[in-house]
Amino acid sequence: TKKASDSASISIPYKAKVLVSKSIAPRKSSQWVKLKYKGAIYYKYVKANVKYFTAEGLDNSKYENLPVSDIRQHIVSDALKIRTKETIYKNTRDIEPGSLDSQGRMRFDCSGFTSYVLNRVMQKYVPNYRLSNGVSAQKTGGLLYTDKSGPFEAKTVCKGSPDFSKLQPGDLVFFDDNDKVKGDCDHVGIYIGNKEFIHSVSTIGCVGIMKLNSGRYYERFLFAKSFVPDSEPVPIGKTMYVVSPWTTGVKVYKDIRFNSPMDGVRLYTDDPVTLEYVTPCSWSDTGESCCYIRFGEDKTGYIQLSRLSDKSSQKEDSEEQEKQSEP
């Protein structure tokens, strides 16, 4: 109408599902379209040479089975699961990221979303992993799990412009998203492959996916960082067996926070253990990884990963004997 006093504008997220019913006052270069979104009727003014709608929908198949480690795939998959839920952009300085509002929507700001996803995934592998909330904390490395040498340091992947030969799904991407570009870092998201990233942003009011190889965020890209350790953590709950070449067995230490770990009990060859997590820290000069295990009656401790095997030597011996006894 000439006077649209009863109108209100909304932001429809990238890949949100809408029903486009008809075009109004079509012109050569532009037109109005009528659409339905979440049960309400809206109108959008579109340009003829810009693609606003596709029939693709929320198809996550191209983000599955990525050529990356399991832990990075896990980060991408968890981030995409959140996108399928009702979310709303909300500053998480005074609230818990991911907490629900009165309408049952998960609340995130940009760094609240990245910390929520990475902490939920990484803590399944490394229980004392902790990525701080807040862009200022994350751009400088955040607070991650620590060993005797101090905090684990996030690695800068690329600067200035996205380098897709170095970026890996699960890396965090940082931007200057101010109205006036000043070179300040004030926005963060998660790279998910296919030259796209996922983030919670106020302009769409929720969690969505956007392109990284062109447009606003390509131009405002500052740098990317990896918050995933180079050594691949082993999933929790895996059964392994002790490998001990000595009759005295292998020590399981109570504590590894110090240069010389505190003494503990001993396990012997083929004792079964349940692996809780592997961390790249070590108390030795060899740089070996160590892991946290459960054994016996809910006993726990730390042992070098090289002292564990997927298979029992007793099992291998029995299998070899069976082969030799075959006619």
Side-chain angles (χ1 to χ4, degrees):
T1 61
K2 292 182 179 179
K3 196 173 183 179
S5 59
D6 60 341
S7 68
S9 63
I10 64 163
S11 293
I12 298 179
Y14 177 59
K15 291 192 176 181
K17 187 177 181 180
V18 301
L19 176 64
V20 181
S21 57
K22 66 177 181 179
S23 298
I24 301 170
R27 301 173 184 174
K28 187 176 181 180
S29 61
S30 59
Q31 63 184 358
W32 284 94
V33 294
K34 182 180 180 180
L35 56 91
K36 181 182 286 188
Y37 173 61
K38 293 186 176 180
I41 300 297
Y42 298 96
Y43 298 88
K44 178 166 178 60
Y45 191 66
V46 301
K47 296 180 180 179
N49 62 345
V50 178
K51 193 174 184 180
Y52 290 91
F53 307 104
T54 71
E56 183 179 351
L58 295 177
D59 181 12
N60 292 338
S61 60
K62 70 176 181 179
Y63 307 107
E64 299 171 357
N65 301 315
L66 296 169
V68 294
S69 63
D70 289 342
I71 194 168
R72 288 183 177 275
Q73 179 65 66
H74 197 168
I75 291 171
V76 172
S77 298
D78 272 30
L80 292 172
K81 284 179 183 177
I82 294 174
R83 185 176 66 114
T84 64
K85 301 177 182 179
E86 290 286 335
T87 61
I88 185 172
Y89 181 86
K90 180 72 175 180
N91 192 309
T92 57
R93 184 178 301 172
D94 300 319
I95 63 172
E96 185 69 22
S99 59
L100 304 182
D101 68 359
S102 59
Q103 299 181 41
R105 298 173 296 186
M106 300 180 73
R107 298 177 292 184
F108 299 105
D109 59 11
C110 62
S111 64
F113 176 69
T114 53
S115 63
Y116 181 87
V117 173
L118 263 69
N119 283 330
R120 280 171 60 88
V121 173
M122 290 299 300
Q123 286 172 8
K124 294 179 181 179
Y125 295 83
V126 186
N128 57 331
Y129 181 104
R130 178 66 181 175
L131 175 61
S132 301
N133 188 12
V135 178
S136 59
Q138 292 181 13
K139 72 178 182 181
T140 56
L143 175 63
L144 300 173
Y145 67 89
T146 59
D147 59 26
K148 67 181 180 63
S149 61
F152 163 77
E153 294 184 2
K155 293 184 178 180
T156 300
V157 176
C158 55
K159 287 183 177 182
S161 61
D163 185 343
F164 297 107
S165 66
K166 296 179 180 179
L167 269 170
Q168 293 191 72
D171 289 342
L172 296 194
V173 285
F174 294 83
F175 307 90
D176 177 358
D177 203 20
N178 286 302
D179 291 336
K180 295 181 179 180
V181 178
K182 299 179 180 179
D184 298 331
C185 180
D186 64 352
H187 189 61
V188 61
I190 302 173
Y191 182 65
I192 56 175
N194 299 299
K195 299 181 179 179
E196 295 178 323
F197 72 102
I198 187 170
H199 60 159
S200 181
V201 61
S202 58
T203 53
I204 64 173
C206 61
V207 172
I209 294 175
M210 289 188 180
K211 295 184 181 298
L212 191 57
N213 61 338
S214 62
R216 176 187 180 90
Y217 287 100
Y218 175 81
E219 296 170 355
R220 292 170 177 252
F221 178 88
L222 295 176
F223 56 88
K225 283 192 172 186
S226 172
F227 288 78
V228 179
D230 292 333
S231 60
E232 178 71 6
V234 179
I236 289 174
K238 183 175 183 179
T239 299
M240 301 188 80
Y241 300 90
V242 173
V243 179
S244 176
W246 309 295
T247 56
T248 54
V250 177
K251 285 185 179 180
V252 177
Y253 296 97
K254 296 179 182 178
D255 203 320
I256 59 168
R257 289 181 298 174
F258 309 100
N259 292 337
S260 298
M262 296 173 62
D263 203 352
V265 300
R266 292 182 183 275
L267 292 180
Y268 299 91
T269 300
D270 290 326
D271 280 345
V273 302
T274 301
L275 193 62
E276 288 296 323
Y277 65 90
V278 174
T279 176
C281 68
S282 175
W283 58 84
S284 70
D285 295 330
T286 61
E288 277 194 85
S289 295
C290 60
C291 51
Y292 186 62
I293 61 171
R294 284 187 289 112
F295 61 96
E297 298 180 358
D298 293 326
K299 295 178 181 178
T300 59
Y302 294 89
I303 191 173
Q304 286 173 306
L305 183 59
S306 61
R307 303 303 181 194
L308 298 179
S309 172
D310 289 339
K311 297 180 180 180
S312 165
S313 62
Q314 292 179 357
K315 183 179 180 181
E316 291 176 347
D317 290 344
S318 62
E319 288 177 349
E320 184 64 29
Q321 289 175 5
E322 288 179 4
K323 289 182 180 178
Q324 292 176 0
S325 63
E326 288 178 358

